[in-house]
Amino acid sequence: MRNVQSIAVDTPAATLDELCLKYGVWKTARALLLAACRHRQTKNQITELSNRMLRDIGLPEREDVLMEVRFSLWDIRL
């Protein structure tokens, strides 16, 4: 970061006050909530991956095998 950039940066409270004055409180709050939701959605979650997928990407398998039991059409006996 250049020295000029570090000098020009305000505190978050001052920046928030400036945004509220320019766009209004409700629009600023809405934009902050939407940004927080988008940030939360972009995180990679490995909790939904199966043990096979975890092995494929080199992560340790989960111990709980209850999530692995799924109904298969091959289990139907005629």
Side-chain angles (χ1 to χ4, degrees), residues 54-72:
L54 291 172
R55 271 194 314 269
D56 286 348
I57 60 175
L59 294 174
E61 295 181 13
R62 283 179 282 150
E63 297 296 324
D64 57 345
V65 292
L66 295 177
M67 295 293 288
E68 293 293 316
V69 177
R70 293 190 179 146
F71 178 71
S72 173

Side-chain angles (χ1 to χ4, degrees), residues 27-45:
K27 285 185 179 181
T28 305
R30 181 176 174 262
L32 287 173
L33 286 174
L34 287 174
C37 289
R38 285 189 194 123
H39 177 70
R40 185 175 175 201
Q41 290 173 355
T42 58
K43 282 186 172 179
N44 292 331
Q45 299 289 331

